[in-house]
Amino acid sequence: MPNIPKKEYFSAEQELTARFAKALAHPVRIAILELLHSQACCYHGDMAEELPIAKSTLSQHLKELKGAGLIQGDITPPSTKYCIHKENFALAKSLLNKVFA
């Protein structure tokens, strides 16, 4: 393998695919995405009632998904409403399908 710095060796598409895959690498995050995909949006408190985890743990998983761009949040105190980021969700699906093709 040539002596190429890691950042230059992997394509932007590969880096993005890995970012999405990392965000999906926990069953709670999969459950969150399934919950959000089944409805238009969902409030943090409602998700906390649906999922068998502490609110603080839920917040950490939502932060990971949001950081990867798979979900988006609308912060209107005292509530935060989350939705699937449709464009990035479709991109993640396409990139991951490409890996498994």
Side-chain angles (χ1 to χ4, degrees), residues 67-83:
L70 292 171
I71 64 171
Q72 52 195 7
D74 179 25
I75 300 169
T76 310
S79 300
T80 304
K81 178 173 64 175
Y82 291 95
C83 305

Side-chain angles (χ1 to χ4, degrees), residues 15-87:
E15 295 282 346
L16 186 56
T17 303
R19 183 176 167 201
F20 288 141
K22 181 180 178 189
L24 296 171
H26 197 287
V28 169
R29 295 184 204 142
I30 300 297
I32 290 168
L33 289 173
E34 289 173 346
L35 180 63
L36 292 175
H37 198 274
S38 71
Q39 48 198 337
C41 292
C42 192
Y43 287 96
H44 181 277
D46 294 338
M47 280 189 271
E49 290 177 14
E50 290 283 325
L51 300 169
I53 57 173
K55 285 184 181 182
S56 60
T57 304
L58 174 61
S59 294
Q60 288 297 343
H61 288 296
L62 289 167
K63 181 179 176 182
E64 287 291 325
L65 290 168
K66 190 172 179 186
L70 292 171
I71 64 171
Q72 52 195 7
D74 179 25
I75 300 169
T76 310
S79 300
T80 304
K81 178 173 64 175
Y82 291 95
C83 305
I84 294 285
H85 189 297
K86 291 181 182 181
E87 182 179 300

